[in-house]
Amino acid sequence: MAIAITLLFSIILLLLPNLSLSQTTTTCTTKTFSKNHLFASCIDLSQLSASLHWTYDPTNSTINVAFTAPNPNSNGWVAWALNPAKPSMVGSQAIIALHDSDGKIVVKTANISTYAGVDFSPIMYDVWGLEAEQEEIGGVPVMTLFASIKLPHGTTKMSHVWQVGPESKSGELQKHDFGEENLNSKGVMNFASDGVRYGSSNSGLNEQNVHGIINALSWGVLLPTGAIITRYLKAFKPSGTTWFYLHVSFQVAGYILGTSGWGTGLNLGIKSKGVQYTAHRNIGTTLFSLATLQVTALLLRPKKDHKYRKYWNLYHHTFGYTILVLGILNIFKGLSILNPGHKWEIVAIVIVGFFIGITLVLEITCFVRSHLKKKNLATITNPNKQDQDVQSGV
């Protein structure tokens, strides 16, 4: 068991440089554009593998932007929009790149006032320099739209939404998908302070890697190991206390790492106001809350013979198993955000499968051992039972 756990730690620690390498080569700062388009800042958006690039000029409150996103449909469309009220489609002032009836890429604007459809029209901001281009990266069409926008004087922070859609027929937009990424493609941007400066060291990516590794060790290795120890080592040696101290050690270490990981996640959220990972954040906060209650509950644990001990056990086990399930779920949520590559998702699946396999083997072993123990106990307490059964033909 100890060798297997050590192996798991080694595999996960080996992920760190590879995760960092993968992220470094796919960050928005490596993106280049044709026609000498240059930008001061950029950000990898939270959904649809999109990125936003811009230069903000505070002297006249203008932004030069490039929005880029992959679209599996070579005749599809992409859109990026500002919303002065809230991060929502309705009320947004959209800039849309699409294919016209001749198959050429054109850029149009639309003041979106309803979910019923899009009517191309002028928007409330002055816009110029509308361009678009499409290239193929890794076999997938990637569309980019360019625009210059004059914001209200002194405005730097605004809500924005973005989207990709299927084929645009005869210059008319077809409805986009309504998957999770499509519905969550929204956020709030501060064009004066958010994003990554081109040519910077991009320490945020390193912090993302640290956040991912810490949480993988905590929720994905230490806490499941602690649960296995208390479930099965206790079953094999019920009179000893080794299982208890090992269980507490793994759980406390997992809680400390998990709390650190939660803290780095909050810090990343503060630094990236334009990016929202709502589900990942909410699950992480729930995990921290449940784990804190678990640790606190150790101080309130009744003695074995106390009448409330069974209720404490029920609470402790329920919260514990809930933490394990949510922890694994959030690890995969984090992998989808960090996007280190498909092979690391396979590694995570193998690790989870390892724990499930160990659990099944130990559970079967405990069942067989318990059955044999009961059979032996019955033989000892009633040694004539077997002879009686033979004589009776049983």
Side-chain angles (χ1 to χ4, degrees), residues 39-179:
F39 301 94
S41 304
C42 70
I43 189 169
D44 291 306
L45 298 175
S46 60
Q47 308 294 335
L48 302 173
S49 300
S51 61
L52 185 68
H53 311 252
W54 74 93
T55 298
Y56 172 69
D57 186 350
T59 60
N60 55 14
S61 296
T62 60
I63 51 171
N64 298 321
V65 301
F67 169 78
T68 182
N71 191 332
N73 193 320
S74 59
N75 292 319
W77 56 267
V78 300
W80 179 75
L82 293 171
N83 192 319
K86 58 183 178 180
S88 172
M89 173 181 167
V90 173
S92 63
Q93 310 298 300
I95 303 171
I96 306 166
L98 69 156
H99 294 79
D100 63 14
S101 57
D102 296 326
K104 297 180 180 179
I105 300 179
V106 295
V107 182
K108 298 184 179 182
T109 60
N111 184 342
I112 301 177
S113 58
T114 175
Y115 289 109
V118 175
D119 293 323
F120 298 117
S121 61
I123 60 176
M124 63 188 300
Y125 307 115
D126 290 335
V127 181
W128 64 97
L130 298 178
E131 299 179 39
E133 62 185 27
Q134 181 170 293
E135 60 184 328
E136 193 170 285
I137 300 178
V140 178
V142 176
M143 295 182 71
T144 302
L145 63 82
F146 302 92
S148 296
I149 308 169
K150 185 171 180 58
L151 301 176
H153 181 71
T155 299
T156 61
K157 186 175 182 180
M158 295 196 71
S159 299
H160 70 136
V161 296
W162 61 97
Q163 198 57 257
V164 301
E167 184 177 358
S168 48
K169 297 180 180 179
S170 300
E172 296 292 330
L173 297 186
Q174 303 299 304
K175 287 186 177 180
H176 60 76
D177 291 337
F178 290 89

Side-chain angles (χ1 to χ4, degrees), residues 203-269:
S203 62
L205 291 179
N206 294 327
E207 191 171 351
Q208 279 186 338
N209 294 328
V210 171
H211 170 73
I213 293 297
I214 288 176
N215 283 292
L217 289 174
S218 170
W219 311 109
V221 175
L222 291 175
L223 295 180
T225 301
I228 288 175
I229 287 172
T230 191
R231 173 76 177 97
Y232 301 108
L233 188 59
K234 178 182 177 181
F236 286 110
K237 295 183 179 180
S239 59
T241 57
T242 302
W243 69 267
F244 176 77
Y245 292 111
L246 282 174
H247 172 66
V248 171
S249 298
F250 272 91
Q251 302 308 83
V252 170
Y255 174 72
I256 293 173
L257 274 182
T259 301
S260 300
W262 180 66
T264 59
L266 292 180
N267 190 46
L268 284 168

